[in-house]
Amino acid sequence: MNLIKTVVFTSILATTVSTAFADIKVGVISSASGPVAMVGIPQKNTIALLPKTIGGQRVQYISIDDASDPTASVKAVNKLIKENNVDAIIGPSGSPNVMAVIGTIAKAGVPLLAPVGTSAAVLPMNPQKKWVFKTTQNDDLIASALVQDMVKRKIKTLGFIGTADPYGDNWNKVITALAAKNGISVVAKESFQRQDTSLTGQALKLIAKRPQAILVAAPGSSAVTPQVALYDRGYRGQMYQTHGAALDQFLKMGGEKVNHTILAASLMLVINEIPNNNPSKPVALTYMNNYKKLYGDYPATFGANVYDAGLLLQRAVPVALKKGKPGTLQFRQALRTALENTKNLAGTQGVYNMTPMDHSGFDQRGRVMIAVLNGHWKLLK
């Protein structure tokens, strides 16, 4: 009898310990090498700052570098799902990469927290995109702020140049529609590949149309190339950039040629000018300071998109654990539903309020207007 009791007790204890310490597996795909490395490196570095336990469960992060290649992103997603049985994936870093993996994650039923710019990842909402949650501002939120500034400056003609990929394509659609609604004519449109080093032809075509302002829609280092090309060929109209240019390397690479650029982006760029009552300021400062302790420098805003993914999981996982165990379809489905119902979660760049139709969840608190003045980011007042 004592032997039976001992066996039963041991079995219960083993089950309890196994359940209590079952890992939640999260894949993280970043472009830590290749053309998008300026975006991907701070994202990969941020993994070390993500929560180690959530809801009493350990979290295991499995990191893969896709070298900025969408085909490699698809392979990485398949590996994480089939071999590692992940419960969620953060990444990839690039918009084309995310668009390439949406079908795969939807078929597997694995939530994807996408730290990318293009709102095409979540809009228009459909059965596949319901598995994607975007940790950056949607294009229309940023674009509306830029167009408002153009209206104030009485700009009537606009030139556009963007990357020939989902990021640039969606920005083309969004800015064209918003400009038309506000009496602004887009008089010239050009595109380019992220890896292009010479944009003389595109610059000359834009300048020939004499737009009062030009918007560049490109992420990371690729945002610098068209603006430098325009400056070198004499263009001195107002330059605008998207949140894709929100990194200090933009200032260093562009130098005086990007002076007076205007963009709408994360408060992290001008954190010291942000009022203390802003709900995102303490979150951003915590992330920035902890990142600097680890790496000796402050992070680019793109790293914050991965940090916010951790905050979203921290809120959603305890809810999902009530419905299923990590590693099961039930848990992943519950996690997706919990993410979709995130309310009033302050992140590094804004406040998340997700809905079934809005998987970004930012309102106007998710952007600030910024200008480049003498090599520094300054809050535009």
Side-chain angles (χ1 to χ4, degrees):
M1 186 70 176
N2 289 337
L3 178 60
I4 293 173
K5 287 182 178 179
T6 301
V7 170
V8 171
F9 174 77
T10 304
S11 176
I12 293 172
L13 179 62
T15 301
T16 302
V17 171
S18 174
T19 301
F21 294 96
D23 284 355
I24 298 166
K25 294 182 179 180
V26 178
V28 185
I29 305 171
S30 55
S31 298
S33 59
V36 193
M38 284 189 180
V39 175
I41 290 172
Q43 292 184 342
K44 182 179 180 180
N45 288 347
T46 299
I47 297 172
L49 300 175
L50 298 179
K52 306 297 188 295
T53 61
I54 304 177
Q57 307 291 122
R58 293 179 302 194
V59 185
Q60 177 186 353
Y61 298 98
I62 304 161
S63 177
I64 298 178
D65 177 9
D66 66 11
S68 306
D69 179 7
T71 301
S73 301
V74 174
K75 290 179 180 177
V77 165
N78 277 312
K79 181 181 185 299
L80 290 168
I81 292 172
K82 294 176 182 178
E83 297 181 22
N84 301 110
N85 193 33
V86 294
D87 296 299
I89 296 174
I90 300 172
S93 300
S95 295
N97 308 60
V98 165
M99 299 306 293
V101 306
I102 289 176
T104 304
I105 62 104
K107 184 177 180 180
V110 175
L112 182 77
L113 294 107
V116 297
T118 183
S119 56
V122 292
L123 293 173
M125 183 55 65
N126 61 35
Q128 288 190 329
K129 293 178 182 179
K130 77 174 187 178
W131 289 94
V132 184
F133 297 86
K134 200 161 82 68
T135 59
T136 64
Q137 307 91 333
N138 276 343
D139 299 337
D140 58 348
L141 182 67
I142 299 297
S144 63
L146 297 180
V147 170
Q148 286 171 20
D149 186 81
M150 294 175 195
V151 171
K152 288 179 183 177
R153 295 173 189 273
K154 302 187 185 313
I155 288 171
K156 295 296 182 181
T157 56
L158 178 69
F160 174 86
I161 181 167
T163 47
D165 59 30
Y167 188 85
D169 293 344
N170 198 67
W171 261 97
N172 182 11
K173 295 176 185 177
V174 170
I175 201 66
T176 299
L178 274 176
K181 289 179 181 178
N182 287 274
I184 300 171
S185 299
V186 182
V187 295
K189 295 181 180 180
E190 296 293 329
S191 63
F192 68 103
Q193 300 297 328
R194 295 189 186 202
Q195 65 271 23
D196 288 349
T197 56
S198 175
L199 297 177
T200 301
Q202 292 94 323
L204 291 174
K205 288 178 183 178
L206 285 167
I207 292 170
K209 295 295 183 178
R210 298 183 178 182
Q212 292 171 276
I214 294 176
L215 169 65
V216 177
S221 59
S222 61
V224 181
T225 312
Q227 188 159 343
V228 168
L230 286 160
Y231 184 93
D232 287 346
R233 280 144 196 89
Y235 185 74
R236 296 295 184 269
Q238 180 61 57
M239 292 298 305
Y240 288 92
Q241 288 273 356
T242 71
H243 51 327
L247 73 170
D248 287 342
Q249 286 89 337
F250 177 80
L251 302 177
K252 294 173 183 176
M253 293 172 66
E256 65 176 12
K257 298 176 183 180
V258 300
N259 204 27
H260 302 299
T261 301
I262 293 173
L263 68 159
S266 164
L267 56 84
M268 282 177 56
L269 294 181
V270 288
I271 192 71
N272 293 328
E273 297 185 67
I274 300 299
N276 290 331
N277 62 358
N278 186 303
S280 290
K281 184 172 182 176
V283 184
L285 282 173
T286 296
Y287 167 59
M288 294 169 69
N289 291 332
N290 288 341
Y291 189 102
K292 188 176 183 182
K293 286 179 185 177
L294 272 182
Y295 302 108
D297 203 357
Y298 289 116
T301 59
F302 305 114
N305 301 332
V306 168
Y307 187 79
D308 278 5
L311 297 178
L312 286 163
L313 289 173
Q314 204 164 27
R315 173 72 69 85
V317 164
V319 179
L321 286 170
K322 297 175 183 178
K323 303 290 185 179
K325 296 179 181 179
T328 65
L329 179 60
Q330 291 80 4
F331 177 74
R332 295 194 295 269
Q333 289 175 334
L335 183 60
R336 192 212 71 81
T337 301
L339 287 166
E340 189 173 79
N341 286 283
T342 301
K343 295 291 182 289
N344 298 317
L345 174 64
T348 56
Q349 304 179 80
V351 178
Y352 291 96
N353 280 289
M354 303 281 192
T355 71
M357 298 307 294
D358 183 0
H359 279 198
S360 174
F362 282 125
D363 54 26
Q364 292 186 3
R365 291 172 294 179
R367 71 187 188 202
V368 293
M369 290 298 292
I370 299 169
V372 179
L373 295 175
N374 300 319
H376 298 282
W377 302 114
K378 292 292 182 181
L379 193 64
L380 186 65
K381 299 177 181 177

